[in-house]
Amino acid sequence: MENIISVIIITYNQQDTIGRSIDSVLMQKCHLPYEIIIGEDASTDDTRTICQDYAKKYPDIIRLFCNEHNKGITDNYIDCLLQSRGKYIADCAGDDFWTDPMKLEKELCVMEEYPNVTMVITNWQFYNEQTRHISPSRQIQHAPITPGRDMLKDIIIQKNMSVFHLCTALYRSDTFRKAYQDDSYMFRSKDFCSEDMQIASAMAWYGDIAYLPDITLNYSIGGKGVSNTNDSEKLFRFVKRSTLLIQYLSSKYQTDIREFLNERIFELGMHAFRSHNPQLYEETLECERKWQVEKKNKYRLLMAVMQHDGLWKLGLAVRNIVVSLKRLIC
């Protein structure tokens, strides 16, 4: 590994935002050199052309990897990580952008002063692509430096990105490679739907986590995504896969998440209920058994309703009326 920073940008069909993301990295002022690794995942719009133009303009900084076939977010990201040369790694999603030209410098100074710190995170904010409105994040304000294992449970079961956002982070390449060599399945499994939680959990397991209150990232919202949809079946699949990852991480890193699973099974059941899909009902029952949850009364009632199609349809009709009334009131 060279004494540089590797910044990972993965992108797919982001012709309207990828240039902004690359520019936000190129504006960085840092006492260490950095490389930008772009993983272009077989886009069908002009994203690849834009990335190629940047690579030609900045050949000493940008290394562009153009995939022949779409790999998906996780494999694209991990492959780029394994191509990195840097001692430190940062990333910026193709639709997000950094806002502080000193981001890398500030984080690097912490890394160099505290060798036990494996990852530095910062504050961030939401950026609405449609309205251009900026709103604060819901991130928890952390201590300047926290023993990583004290943060593990919060990292594993975090909701609404309240603990960290990986696009704000700078972390150690050797720690990632150690974790990947130890358990590549954790990073590559198609049963899971994330790449950031694995990295943050590994960083917390092996060292301390540092926090800077500075806002360094605009996180793009307002577009379409797996977790930003009204499709109940897609939400069911997302919740199920994310919970499988959370279970895996909690087992690997010896974290008790029983109360979380009690809440998550009800969330899964509600998506099954809204979808009116008997298969999802059966899958919820299977998860209930595997997760060994404590069945709360509201969950018992929900599952009892779905046992009978007539009750199920009636419940959906009542729910639709309530939702419509709420919209009228609001």
Side-chain angles (χ1 to χ4, degrees):
M1 291 179 295
E2 300 178 28
N3 193 29
I4 64 172
I5 298 172
S6 295
V7 181
I8 311 298
I9 300 177
I10 61 170
T11 184
Y12 173 72
N13 283 358
Q14 294 171 323
Q15 63 180 14
D16 295 332
T17 59
I18 185 60
R20 182 182 66 188
S21 299
I22 297 172
D23 286 336
S24 76
V25 178
L26 289 170
M27 75 175 183
Q28 292 297 303
K29 300 175 182 178
C30 187
H31 72 270
L32 275 189
Y34 58 85
E35 64 173 359
I36 301 175
I37 297 177
I38 302 176
E40 199 292 304
D41 204 16
S43 297
T44 59
D45 62 4
D46 288 333
T47 299
R48 176 166 295 192
T49 300
I50 295 170
C51 292
Q52 289 170 334
D53 289 343
Y54 272 94
K56 289 177 183 177
K57 188 174 181 180
Y58 300 96
D60 297 331
I61 299 176
I62 295 177
R63 298 167 61 206
L64 174 60
F65 295 90
C66 294
N67 300 329
E68 293 184 7
H69 306 287
N70 183 268
K71 295 180 177 180
I73 294 174
T74 298
D75 282 341
N76 191 21
Y77 185 66
I78 299 302
D79 287 347
C80 286
L81 286 180
L82 295 175
Q83 291 289 338
S84 66
R85 300 169 179 164
K87 182 178 180 180
Y88 307 100
I89 296 173
D91 77 64
C92 183
D95 56 351
D96 300 335
F97 56 102
W98 292 346
T99 59
D100 185 347
M102 301 302 292
K103 173 197 182 294
L104 292 179
E105 177 68 12
K106 293 173 182 177
E107 294 175 324
L108 178 60
C109 289
V110 175
M111 285 286 203
E112 292 183 331
E113 183 174 357
Y114 300 97
N116 289 334
V117 169
T118 52
M119 182 169 74
V120 184
I121 58 176
T122 77
N123 204 345
W124 53 277
Q125 58 196 4
F126 291 103
Y127 177 81
N128 190 298
E129 293 288 354
Q130 276 70 48
T131 65
R132 298 187 180 182
H133 177 69
I134 292 174
S135 55
S137 72
R138 298 181 290 272
Q139 180 164 317
I140 298 169
Q141 303 301 301
H142 304 285
I145 295 180
T146 304
R149 297 190 184 188
D150 290 351
M151 293 180 64
L152 256 174
K153 183 174 181 178
D154 287 339
I155 287 173
I156 291 172
I157 68 171
Q158 70 160 310
K159 299 178 180 179
N160 300 318
M161 298 178 293
S162 61
V163 181
F164 76 99
H165 194 308
L166 196 64
C167 286
T168 73
L170 183 70
Y171 58 93
R172 296 188 186 273
S173 178
D174 58 353
T175 306
F176 159 72
R177 292 177 188 275
K178 179 179 180 180
Y180 183 80
Q181 184 176 11
D182 173 64
D183 189 355
S184 61
Y185 172 82
M186 178 176 73
F187 293 94
R188 293 283 193 179
S189 174
K190 298 299 184 292
D191 291 335
F192 306 148
C193 61
S194 172
E195 70 286 340
D196 54 351
M197 287 173 57
Q198 296 94 314
I199 289 171
S201 297
M203 297 299 143
W205 181 256
Y206 286 114
D208 298 337
I209 306 298
Y211 170 72
L212 300 174
D214 310 55
I215 294 172
T216 67
L217 172 75
N218 273 359
Y219 172 65
S220 177
I221 59 174
K224 294 181 180 179
V226 176
S227 59
N228 183 24
T229 177
N230 292 320
D231 187 317
S232 294
E233 184 166 351
K234 287 183 178 180
L235 286 169
F236 181 96
R237 298 296 174 202
F238 176 79
V239 170
K240 182 178 178 181
R241 291 175 65 205
S242 64
T243 307
L244 289 174
L245 171 60
I246 290 167
Q247 275 193 300
Y248 187 89
L249 293 173
S250 67
S251 176
K252 181 178 181 67
Y253 296 122
Q254 305 163 24
T255 304
D256 183 0
I257 61 165
R258 284 174 292 183
E259 189 58 37
F260 170 81
L261 290 177
N262 293 338
E263 298 173 4
R264 184 54 71 94
I265 194 65
F266 179 73
E267 181 180 353
L268 199 66
M270 282 300 301
H271 291 313
F273 169 74
R274 285 191 287 265
S275 72
H276 196 210
N277 186 334
Q279 179 184 338
L280 301 190
Y281 165 75
E282 294 295 336
E283 289 186 39
T284 304
L285 289 175
E286 182 183 359
C287 290
E288 172 197 311
R289 291 189 291 268
K290 287 183 177 180
W291 299 351
Q292 299 181 340
V293 297
E294 178 186 347
K295 292 178 280 188
K296 304 289 187 179
N297 288 336
K298 62 181 182 179
Y299 173 75
R300 291 177 185 273
L301 177 61
L302 177 66
M303 299 305 285
V305 167
M306 286 192 286
Q307 285 181 14
H308 307 282
D309 192 58
L311 280 177
W312 196 338
K313 290 178 179 177
L314 178 61
L316 283 172
V318 171
R319 177 186 177 274
N320 290 336
I321 291 171
V322 172
V323 170
S324 297
L325 287 174
K326 285 183 177 179
R327 287 174 180 169
L328 286 174
I329 295 172
C330 295

